[in-house]
Amino acid sequence: MTRSILITGAGSGIGRATAEAFLDAGWQVALMGRRAEALQDTAKGRPALILTGDVGNPAEVDTCFATLRAEWGRLDVLFNNAGISAPGKPIDEIAVEEWLAVCQTNITGMFLTARAAFGLMRHQTPQGGRIINNGSISAHVPRPGSVPYTMSKHAVTGLTRTLGLDGRAFNIACGQIDIGNALTDMAAKFTKGVPQANGSVAVEPVMDVAHVARAVLHMADLPLDVNVPFMTVMARDMPYIGRG
């Protein structure tokens, strides 16, 4: 039986690269995002279930999952990928609206899609499935001026750990991939110079986003009695391990 995956934030970046990898591997792929045209661009004419909706909107998430259930009847994997960032600033310069926007996508959105997927996986036959959350290097250590994003990614780790525990009773595995400097539009700034902990600005190494997609595919290919709770994939020389 062909396995199925839903990828959120599938219209660009890591979501798009991952969708392409799963389509190439012969999976049944659902693409969720706010812009139907971007999702169609990801599919490139190949068969994919297009689900237009905002992960931070409960009604839209429910509608997308109702459509998926009606079309497929089950879901094997959720790649809980959608996320946004905010401009780097000290906390007292961050507008409350900026904070709330990050939380709505990166925390509430992760919760809503994981909740819907968990419910579907729990009640489908055969029971079970896998949820893979997109964390970040920022789930471990911050960049300067990154309070909203860093807090949101630490919250994702809490979600991963809890679902990894709660899912055992229902044959649901949950893991997290923490990504560092994959070259997407969002990460292009690393090639031009970004603030460092010592106050300097420096160019940082980046890696091809295809490596992330292959890592997610590896996690998804495992049998449900095997789990990768946390995987870190990063540009080797980025300033994270040790002192830079």
Side-chain angles (χ1 to χ4, degrees):
M1 184 174 68
T2 302
R3 288 171 295 173
S4 59
I5 183 170
L6 167 61
I7 299 169
T8 67
S12 63
I14 290 168
R16 173 171 286 181
T18 303
E20 291 171 348
F22 276 82
L23 285 165
D24 289 344
W27 282 60
Q28 195 173 34
V29 179
L31 309 174
M32 183 175 174
R34 290 177 291 183
R35 298 172 295 129
E37 183 178 350
L39 299 176
Q40 296 286 0
D41 288 344
T42 296
K44 293 184 175 66
R46 293 184 285 183
L49 180 59
I50 304 299
L51 301 171
T52 305
D54 183 346
V55 296
N57 183 307
E60 294 183 10
V61 171
D62 286 346
T63 297
C64 288
F65 272 83
T67 300
L68 185 148
R69 187 183 298 109
E71 291 285 333
W72 292 353
R74 66 174 290 108
L75 178 66
D76 295 305
V77 178
L78 167 67
F79 182 33
N80 211 359
N81 166 69
I84 63 172
S85 61
K89 303 175 189 177
I91 190 170
D92 59 314
E93 296 179 12
I94 297 168
V96 172
E97 291 75 16
E98 291 177 300
W99 157 255
L100 292 174
V102 171
C103 288
Q104 191 66 24
T105 297
N106 295 13
I107 300 177
T108 300
M110 283 270 182
F111 166 81
L112 291 173
T113 48
R115 175 179 179 269
F118 194 100
L120 179 54
M121 293 170 179
R122 176 180 176 179
H123 295 290
Q124 65 193 7
T125 303
Q127 186 183 62
R130 186 182 304 275
I131 296 170
I132 301 171
N133 294 325
N134 185 343
S136 171
I137 296 295
S138 292
H140 301 272
V141 293
R143 289 186 175 277
S146 66
V147 165
Y149 187 77
T150 299
M151 287 182 69
S152 74
K153 291 303 183 178
H154 277 65
V156 172
T157 297
L159 175 66
T160 301
R161 292 185 186 279
T162 307
L163 293 185
L165 177 61
D166 292 351
R168 292 175 183 175
F170 308 109
N171 202 29
I172 298 171
C174 185
Q176 179 169 315
I177 184 163
D178 295 321
I179 302 159
N181 288 17
L183 185 55
T184 63
D185 289 344
M186 185 182 293
K189 59 188 177 184
F190 299 135
T191 65
K192 301 174 183 177
V194 289
Q196 304 294 306
N198 64 2
S200 66
V201 174
V203 171
E204 294 188 9
V206 294
M207 64 176 175
D208 191 325
V209 69
H211 298 306
V212 177
R214 284 197 292 271
V216 176
L217 182 59
H218 167 70
M219 295 170 76
D221 269 333
L222 294 171
L224 287 177
D225 62 347
V226 179
N227 190 34
V228 178
F230 294 93
M231 176 189 288
T232 300
V233 56
M234 54 177 270
R236 187 196 64 197
D237 295 338
M238 68 175 290
Y240 168 58
I241 299 297
R243 295 174 182 248

